[in-house]
Amino acid sequence: MAEEVGCIYCARWNAEIAEIYPKTPEGKAAPLVRYDLHTDEAPAELRQKVRFTPTFILVQNGVEVGRIEGYPGEDFFWGLLGMLLKDADIPFEETG
């Protein structure tokens, strides 16, 4: 997750998702690694520069395989993340 100080959408994601994320099938399949867009080096080989925060970058074997730019709200986030995991053929236990 690329984030930056003062990002209101990062704060919203933190309030709505951060606590439960590691407990979910998606969070177990794609553990969250955070980095500050301005002070940290990207923890993977990226397809393109990160321009918005938050940006959720799905990484496989050290290389970006997909991303979600911005935080569209809880309902959309889970759907988009599920699609990224499926597209990257990363297994996770779907519910509902």
Side-chain angles (χ1 to χ4, degrees):
M1 173 182 175
E3 57 189 339
E4 63 186 327
V5 174
C7 169
I8 60 171
Y9 295 102
C10 298
R12 186 172 160 210
W13 187 87
N14 285 326
E16 295 177 1
I17 305 288
E19 187 176 325
I20 62 169
Y21 184 82
K23 301 172 189 172
T24 66
E26 296 89 346
K28 291 175 183 167
L32 186 70
V33 174
R34 296 172 182 260
Y35 81 98
D36 185 284
L37 184 60
H38 302 293
T39 61
D40 300 329
E41 188 174 320
E45 184 181 323
L46 303 180
R47 292 180 181 169
Q48 62 187 21
K49 182 179 179 177
V50 174
R51 300 186 191 287
F52 307 100
T53 56
T55 294
F56 302 91
I57 304 162
L58 185 60
V59 174
Q60 197 170 39
N61 299 319
V63 178
E64 176 182 347
V65 293
R67 67 171 60 189
I68 300 169
E69 292 183 320
Y71 176 59
E74 184 174 359
D75 293 334
F76 288 107
F77 175 78
W78 292 115
L80 292 170
L81 181 57
M83 288 190 316
L84 281 181
L85 291 168
K86 283 183 182 180
D87 290 347
D89 202 26
I90 298 173
F92 70 101
E93 182 183 315
E94 294 183 70
T95 59

